[in-house]
Amino acid sequence: MAHTLSPPVAAEQHFVGSWQSRLLRSTLNNRNLTIGLLIITSLGLVALLAPWLAPHDPYLQNTANRMVPPIWHETGSWTHPLGTDRLGRDYLSRLIYGTRISLFIGLVVALISGLIGTTLGVLAGYFGGRVDAVVSYLLTTRLAMPVVLVALAMASLMGGSMLSVTLLLGLLLWDRFAVVARSATQQLRDAEYVQAAQALGCSLPYILLREVLPNIAGALIVVATLEVANAILLEATLSFLGMGVQPPSPSWGLMIAEGKAYMFFQPWVITIPGSALFILVLSINLLGDGLRDLSAPGGRNE
Amino acid sequence: MWAFVFKRTLIALSVALTISVLCFSLLQLSGDLALSIGGPEATAEQVEQIRVEYGLDRPVLEQFTTWLWGAVQLDFGRSYYYQSEVMDLVVERLPVTMTLGILALAIALGVSIPLGVVAALKRGSWIDRTAMAIAVTGQAMPNFWFGLTLIILFAVKLQWFPAAGSDSWQGFVLPAVALGYYATPAMMRLTRSGMLEVLEADYIRTARAKGLRTGTVIFKHALRNAVIPVVALAAVELGFMLGGSVVIETVFSLRGLGQLAWNAISRNDYPVVQAIVLIIALFYIVLTLLADILNAVLDPRLRAR
Amino acid sequence: MSNLSSAERSTAPVSPLLTVKQLRVDLPVAKGTLHAVRGIDFHVERGEMLCLVGESGCGKSMTSLALMGLLPRKAQVNADCLDFDGVDLLTVSDRERSNLRGARMAMIFQEPMTALNPAYTLGNQLCEALRRHQRVSRKAAHDRALYLLERVGISAAEERMRQYPHQLSGGLRQRVMIAMALMCEPDLIIADEPTTALDVTIQAQILHLLRDLQQEFGTAVIFITHDLGVVARIADRVAVMYAGEVIETASAQALFQAPSHPYTQGLLRCIPTPGKTLPGSRLQAIPGVVPNLVEKVDGCAFCNRCDQADELCHTTPPLQTVADGHLSRCHFAHQLANPATINAQEVTL
């Protein structure tokens, strides 16, 4: 009741404060978001601090020490907590360095494809008509292309490397960004503040960058998390099939491919990098789900 | 209705044409084809001979029209590596991939629709939570790794199914599960959210007010409407699965289109790669077209358009 | 069961078709419990048209859904008596309940645009209830549907049977809903604001149709509306609801001639009367807001909006009999029923 007597400014400050604490509270209440954020942050730290965290050089071969099982086996030892691979390289160190590859490719691919998809989608949504028809056509064509197959073929042409995989996936995975940006912009086009900006004679780049983009950013961030996860899975797939990141890089997909021959007798050689991939992608998806719930609490179906 | 089908078909055809241009550019991008066909030991004369033999000395546009004209007649030229007609190779491999794709779709539908319906009906129950957990984990599981794990568990440890090969139906079980599992989460979420929305609809209340049995209300009145978007998604997912077969067929050593594509890619056998990319794209285009038509059949309101 | 009820029908014409005593509906909401219906009494005679009148949120739709057993599962329904032709609707099993629904009690909803399933033909949706409740052939069900479609004024009925809901206008769809309600010749039809969503001219047609059919088939109807103009045209008896209570019941004639509750009087002042209301003059609105039904309501629920309220109104008013069959939940019901008395009392005081 006292608030009604306080001056408007104070009331506003009170509102801002409660907005922030509300955001914090809803973040903490959102279990998906909390778990996802926690795992992602720790894996990000692992990637950044890899040289200090890794117990061994991930590329150092030791033929005397091949296929040492992980610690939970009777013959395991703390020297190599997750064992060694067929060339005697420390599995834990390779796993730690592999985090860098997955996260780098995931983030850069999402950045490139986000740039392409958002540009196309915003233009299609804002101008409609012929621009929209062209973008929709590009989108249909892109969706009809089998991603894994095209990426495999192109990677084999360009020669598999981290750079070529990143570029390829960046050029291929823009579809969802375009779809979301297009429909979100369509809804915004008729919004009053956009029309006001048009009436005031604001320049087109100003309207698109200052009025449209900030308002569709929330939806795009959710798409971005999904695409990071998607790119990480695709990189692993390409590397697994031998057309992605090349040996001796410790890509998780490559580790699974290299372990495939031994998996019948030493299943941990594929279980460990596979679980790492699973946990990383799962946490990104949880983060994405959580962000979606946060940005659209009413649209939640749970 | 027919105008709608006609328009969609027209778009589908032009998309197919664009993709064929892209496929052809793929061939051109792969560098000097005569060199890669001849291999490292070929002499300059041999390379020149290959160039003439494969028509690689003619202008690009002429090469493209020749190739496209052939493709329209289902003649994709000869494979560099297998030294046989590409179409023969494709026809030989296609049944395996189609069987795999359809089985995978059947598994995905068989799991996702009942689970989605029950999850929606018993919202918040343990079944609902299990279903959501399956959805979340399914989306995060790399399918090649899931396939390898299935091999370890069911082929090596339990020895229920063979680890590889397409000689018997048992050989298809694990790959179909691995492929179908990937499509399940999206379809299940869509079924669930569709059911939740439909169950709130006024016509469901009308159906209950008529004293219809619960089963009739759920299956005749609710599910029919909730399942319409799932049908469209299923067609799209089948298209994705055919594309994804390259991974699963490699993992399970199935002699299908995907494995052929992978072999062709690793051997720079571009006429084969080209053909398979185009064929899978065509499948996708036809499937989405069918989905649109099926949607119109299922939803009377769309027929008017 | 049907034997019993038909025996009852012949021997005991005095027993009403539906008796409701102290019906309460509670809904859990975010801030507590919404007491949507707070102990209402009314009855429906065989073949009569009872109008439940009240503004939105007064609990009239909740009442109808409670009678049909269509409330969401979390809603709690309590009553001293909820008797439908000898069947206790409180203890009836789900199975028997669904045997009653559509067969002996049917419902027409407010929104004809969304009340029909878009995926099935009208014929399909018309016939399914009859086929569910009675052992009739496909042909017989079809013929019955055809007859009723014609009866509710739909031309080219044979063709309409094959059409889908989206091909019909709102008015036509509501006619289909009426035909659908009549399929099994129910004893009771609950019509929940069936004309609110329609154009005014269509409204009048649908009202006439309902009234005609009700008399022709001898079906009892609970007609729910917020519009006293509609009530005046069709009702045999009226129950006025306010804030989850029935505050006045009377025959339609008595209600319009001698309204005995300030709320009813207020409602009547809200409608223009041709010849009495001067053109350009303002209609009166009732000031104030309806009490929050999540909180406990003490005393008369209307007292905060009533210009005649005094200290006495903070105690819950009893249901008073003003005349035979005319009840009012107001401390001053008798004075209101006969304005002359008030004047006389004022003079004596």
Side-chain angles (χ1 to χ4, degrees):
Chain A
M1 276 296 108
H3 291 300
T4 52
L5 299 172
S6 54
V9 180
E12 211 161 76
Q13 277 168 351
H14 169 79
F15 179 70
V16 169
S18 73
W19 174 78
Q20 284 164 339
S21 65
R22 248 204 331 262
L23 184 69
L24 185 69
R25 216 175 328 126
S26 54
T27 307
L28 289 177
N29 280 345
N30 190 325
R31 216 174 30 183
N32 287 353
L33 192 65
T34 320
I35 297 174
L37 212 59
L38 220 66
I39 303 178
I40 288 289
T41 318
S42 12
L43 287 177
L45 282 174
V46 166
L48 279 176
L49 305 175
W52 292 277
L53 286 175
H56 299 272
D57 178 350
Y59 299 103
L60 187 71
Q61 300 182 8
N62 182 356
T63 37
N65 235 351
R66 295 167 58 227
M67 300 307 284
V68 171
I71 190 70
W72 55 84
H73 274 255
E74 292 145 23
T75 50
S77 81
W78 279 110
T79 336
H80 300 288
L82 294 182
T84 60
D85 68 2
R86 68 203 164 103
L87 297 173
R89 296 174 292 198
D90 180 55
Y91 230 47
L92 177 62
S93 307
R94 289 183 70 72
L95 205 64
I96 288 174
Y97 274 88
T99 320
R100 292 184 150 187
I101 298 177
S102 286
L103 280 178
F104 173 82
I105 290 185
L107 290 173
V108 178
V109 166
L111 203 69
I112 298 174
S113 56
L115 223 56
I116 301 174
T118 307
T119 311
L120 287 175
V122 166
L123 291 178
Y126 189 79
F127 290 108
R130 221 169 271 178
V131 181
D132 188 28
V134 170
V135 171
S136 298
Y137 184 76
L138 281 178
L139 198 59
T140 320
T141 311
R142 157 57 202 89
L143 284 172
M145 298 199 305
V147 177
V148 183
L149 213 58
V150 171
L152 268 179
M154 294 300 290
S156 115
L157 280 179
M158 294 163 70
S161 72
M162 208 149 131
L163 185 71
S164 63
V165 170
T166 311
L167 279 177
L168 264 175
L169 293 180
L171 290 173
L172 278 171
L173 297 183
W174 51 266
D175 50 306
R176 235 181 302 187
F177 281 106
V179 171
V180 171
R182 176 174 170 265
S183 62
T185 309
Q186 272 173 347
Q187 283 168 13
L188 272 184
R189 187 172 52 183
D190 304 321
E192 275 174 36
Y193 54 88
V194 173
Q195 292 192 327
Q198 286 168 336
L200 286 171
C202 295
S203 72
L204 187 66
Y206 179 89
I207 295 175
L208 292 185
L209 292 176
R210 286 299 178 84
E211 305 287 353
V212 174
L213 205 56
N215 284 294
I216 63 173
L220 290 178
I221 286 170
V222 174
V223 177
T225 57
L226 294 176
E227 287 310 330
V228 170
N230 204 3
I232 288 172
L233 281 180
L234 277 171
E235 179 275 320
T237 307
L238 292 182
S239 301
F240 172 74
L241 291 173
M243 301 294 167
V245 179
Q246 295 299 309
S249 295
S251 154
W252 293 345
L254 201 57
M255 286 167 79
I256 296 176
E258 288 167 351
K260 201 185 149 196
Y262 303 87
M263 70 177 196
F264 296 118
F265 306 105
Q266 280 107 350
W268 50 267
V269 291
I270 68 157
T271 313
I272 291 172
S275 309
L277 254 176
F278 173 69
I279 291 169
L280 176 59
V281 174
L282 182 70
S283 61
I284 298 173
N285 283 345
L286 287 178
L287 184 71
D289 280 357
L291 284 175
R292 187 175 51 207
D293 297 342
L294 209 60
S295 58
R300 197 173 183 196
N301 282 326
E302 266 180 274
Chain B
M1 171 78 183
W2 288 113
F4 163 76
V5 172
F6 180 72
K7 196 182 151 207
R8 288 288 288 108
T9 314
L10 216 63
I11 294 175
L13 280 176
S14 50
V15 168
L17 188 72
T18 315
I19 297 223
S20 61
V21 172
L22 287 172
C23 284
F24 186 78
S25 331
L26 185 71
L27 193 70
Q28 294 300 315
L29 280 172
S30 62
D32 192 342
L33 285 171
L35 267 179
S36 43
I37 299 167
E41 274 130 52
T43 61
E45 291 92 68
Q46 283 173 321
V47 169
E48 204 48 45
Q49 198 188 337
I50 290 169
R51 208 181 296 281
V52 175
E53 196 180 313
Y54 284 88
L56 298 171
D57 51 343
R58 273 171 271 162
V60 174
L61 199 66
E62 194 189 323
Q63 285 187 47
F64 174 66
T65 45
T66 315
W67 177 76
L68 188 64
W69 182 238
V72 170
Q73 297 164 316
L74 295 178
D75 173 12
F76 294 96
R78 287 178 71 81
S79 154
Y80 300 162
Y81 175 77
Y82 293 95
Q83 290 300 319
S84 62
E85 290 296 316
V86 173
M87 201 55 206
D88 293 345
L89 288 170
V90 167
V91 167
E92 184 199 333
R93 305 292 193 109
L94 193 60
V96 170
T97 303
M98 288 310 283
T99 313
L100 178 63
I102 289 170
L103 253 169
L105 185 70
I107 291 173
L109 282 172
V111 173
S112 59
I113 291 185
L115 215 55
V117 169
V118 175
L121 290 176
K122 307 261 173 198
R123 192 174 173 186
S125 69
W126 66 268
I127 299 181
D128 187 19
R129 269 174 281 145
T130 313
M132 289 317 273
I134 290 176
V136 172
T137 49
Q139 275 169 336
M141 201 103 80
N143 59 356
F144 62 93
W145 179 63
F146 184 56
L148 292 175
T149 312
L150 287 180
I151 291 179
I152 293 177
L153 280 179
F154 293 100
V156 180
K157 291 252 161 73
L158 297 169
Q159 305 205 332
W160 288 355
F161 302 101
S166 48
D167 309 326
S168 62
W169 66 269
Q170 286 100 331
F172 281 101
V173 174
L174 294 183
V177 168
L179 196 54
Y181 188 69
Y182 203 62
T184 304
M187 295 202 290
M188 197 197 70
R189 280 179 187 232
L190 198 61
T191 309
R192 180 177 177 275
S193 62
M195 275 303 275
L196 283 178
E197 194 186 316
V198 167
L199 285 173
E200 296 289 313
D202 282 359
Y203 55 79
I204 295 302
R205 197 177 54 180
T206 309
R208 292 181 61 211
K210 282 195 271 189
L212 299 181
R213 292 192 173 82
T214 315
T216 317
V217 174
I218 291 170
F219 291 105
K220 179 180 173 183
H221 286 275
L223 187 59
R224 165 71 185 267
N225 285 289
V227 96
I228 290 172
V230 182
V231 168
L233 183 66
V236 174
E237 292 283 352
L238 182 58
F240 286 150
M241 282 185 205
L242 293 179
S245 65
V246 61
V247 181
I248 293 299
E249 285 177 10
T250 310
V251 168
F252 288 91
S253 313
L254 284 179
R255 282 174 52 84
L257 223 48
Q259 198 200 35
L260 179 68
W262 188 63
N263 287 336
I265 288 169
S266 29
R267 286 164 182 145
N268 290 328
D269 193 353
Y270 280 93
V272 176
V273 181
Q274 237 179 351
I276 294 177
V277 169
L278 185 59
I279 287 169
I280 290 183
L282 281 177
F283 263 115
Y284 179 88
I285 293 168
V286 171
L287 282 169
T288 45
L289 185 62
L290 280 180
D292 282 350
I293 295 171
L294 199 59
N295 253 349
V297 172
L298 284 177
D299 188 345
R301 283 166 298 183
L302 290 178
R303 266 176 244 169
R305 283 206 212 137
Chain C
M1 190 177 66
S2 59
N3 289 338
L4 180 78
S5 54
S6 62
E8 264 184 5
R9 260 179 238 175
S10 55
T11 54
V14 277
S15 86
L17 177 67
L18 177 75
T19 311
V20 176
K21 282 188 185 136
Q22 285 300 305
L23 172 69
R24 309 182 65 88
V25 178
D26 295 327
L27 276 170
V29 289
K31 286 173 188 160
T33 306
L34 175 72
H35 307 287
V37 179
R38 304 184 298 131
I40 62 170
D41 303 316
F42 66 92
H43 69 275
V44 182
E45 302 287 350
R46 289 165 206 286
E48 79 166 344
M49 174 87 77
L50 172 76
C51 274
L52 268 185
V53 198
E55 53 199 289
S56 52
C58 72
K60 52 196 198 303
S61 288
M62 286 294 163
T63 307
S64 67
L65 291 176
L67 294 177
M68 290 294 289
L70 290 176
L71 282 169
R73 246 169 228 290
K74 58 186 180 181
Q76 283 193 337
V77 180
N78 296 302
D80 291 348
C81 171
L82 207 60
D83 178 280
F84 176 72
D85 206 9
V87 182
D88 183 359
L89 294 180
L90 283 170
T91 55
V92 74
S93 70
D94 283 357
R95 192 193 186 86
E96 285 171 74
R97 186 66 171 243
S98 86
N99 285 339
L100 281 181
R101 276 202 297 255
R104 300 201 52 211
M105 51 202 303
M107 188 154 179
I108 301 166
F109 296 98
Q110 179 174 357
E111 255 310 327
M113 300 310 274
T114 52
L116 289 161
N117 193 325
Y120 295 100
T121 60
L122 299 176
N124 184 329
Q125 295 185 61
L126 279 163
C127 294
E128 65 178 342
L130 187 61
R131 303 258 298 157
R132 149 79 175 86
H133 293 293
Q134 294 171 21
R135 291 179 168 278
V136 297
S137 67
R138 210 171 276 275
K139 175 82 173 65
H142 180 89
D143 289 348
R144 168 90 180 149
L146 207 60
Y147 163 73
L148 282 172
L149 280 187
E150 276 163 7
R151 189 62 200 77
V152 299
I154 290 177
S155 55
E158 187 79 52
E159 200 178 310
R160 292 286 186 202
M161 294 273 282
R162 287 191 296 272
Q163 287 190 328
Y164 290 90
H166 72 274
Q167 292 167 298
L168 273 66
S169 66
L172 279 183
R173 287 191 214 185
Q174 200 60 296
R175 287 173 195 264
V176 172
M177 287 299 291
I178 294 170
M180 197 180 280
L182 289 167
M183 278 301 282
C184 298
E185 290 188 71
D187 300 312
L188 175 68
I189 291 178
I190 300 175
D192 187 358
E193 306 224 19
T195 57
T196 308
L198 302 174
D199 288 346
V200 181
T201 48
I202 312 282
Q203 263 188 29
Q205 293 171 11
I206 298 284
L207 281 181
H208 272 293
L209 179 67
L210 261 174
R211 185 70 189 170
D212 288 352
L213 291 171
Q214 184 244 345
Q215 278 162 1
E216 181 184 329
F217 290 91
T219 314
V221 176
I222 299 179
F223 193 101
I224 295 169
T225 181
H226 63 272
D227 184 350
L228 275 179
V230 168
V231 176
R233 274 158 136 167
I234 59 168
D236 293 320
R237 277 194 316 118
V238 188
V240 183
M241 283 188 74
Y242 181 78
E245 288 178 314
V246 170
I247 49 105
E248 186 168 5
T249 44
S251 70
Q253 205 183 9
L255 189 93
F256 284 99
Q257 277 175 359
S260 306
H261 192 285
Y263 178 64
T264 316
Q265 293 182 338
L267 280 182
L268 284 171
R269 279 195 297 269
C270 292
I271 47 170
T273 324
K276 281 188 187 167
T277 315
L278 293 170
S281 70
R282 289 183 82 154
L283 289 170
Q284 273 181 289
I286 305 174
V289 289
V290 185
N292 181 355
L293 294 183
V294 176
E295 287 151 22
K296 194 174 185 310
V297 180
D298 286 319
C300 173
F302 188 61
C303 73
N304 65 331
R305 298 172 73 184
C306 183
D307 53 4
Q308 300 169 43
D310 66 13
E311 287 301 310
L312 190 57
C313 295
H314 293 292
T315 59
T316 307
L319 208 55
Q320 309 211 33
T321 306
V322 183
D324 188 28
H326 189 162
L327 303 170
S328 166
R329 192 178 283 278
C330 175
H331 291 292
F332 307 109
H334 293 286
Q335 291 96 310
L336 291 168
N338 189 352
T341 344
I342 300 177
N343 293 339
Q345 274 184 344
E346 274 173 355
V347 171
T348 50
L349 286 167

